[in-house]
Amino acid sequence: MPGYSAVEGFLNRKVASFLHEFVHDADEIAANLKLGSGAFSVQDRRLKAGALQAVLLDSGSPLIIRSATLKGFKIKIPWSSLFSQSSSIHVDTLDIG
């Protein structure tokens, strides 16, 4: 996809950084991350409870997270119509214990 390689590289690095911060076994996911295709998804991943807890504490939440699992996560980027269609991030079922 000509012209988007710099943007794709930037997005791949940002998403990989996010994954490493919040998802266990993120190296496997990050190695296959190719947002240039316009879609990316992961399923059934354990999240790092400590990282989520830190976000909650920063927001002033009194909740305590002991475990978390993400059933599904999907990013869609409509490269061919980037200025006329929205990109989206979809989270499917976040189980927190």
Side-chain angles (χ1 to χ4, degrees):
M1 152 184 1
Y4 290 109
S5 61
V7 174
E8 179 188 358
F10 172 78
L11 290 174
N12 282 345
R13 287 188 299 277
K14 288 296 182 184
V15 171
S17 175
F18 169 82
L19 290 171
H20 280 98
E21 185 174 350
F22 291 100
V23 180
H24 286 284
D25 303 321
D27 288 337
E28 172 191 337
I29 301 166
N32 296 313
L33 186 61
K34 302 210 180 355
L35 290 175
S37 68
F40 168 73
S41 64
V42 295
Q43 296 177 339
D44 299 320
R45 294 294 173 167
R46 284 184 323 118
L47 301 179
K48 296 178 180 178
L52 293 173
Q53 186 67 52
V55 170
L56 288 176
L57 287 173
D58 287 347
S59 68
S61 173
L63 296 175
I64 296 173
I65 296 178
R66 299 192 196 290
S67 65
T69 304
L70 181 64
K71 290 293 182 185
F73 176 82
K74 185 185 297 185
I75 297 174
K76 290 181 78 177
I77 302 172
W79 290 113
S80 61
S81 51
L82 195 57
F83 297 106
S84 61
Q85 292 184 357
S86 298
S87 296
S88 64
I89 297 175
H90 177 80
V91 176
D92 178 28
T93 310
L94 175 60
D95 293 324
I96 297 175

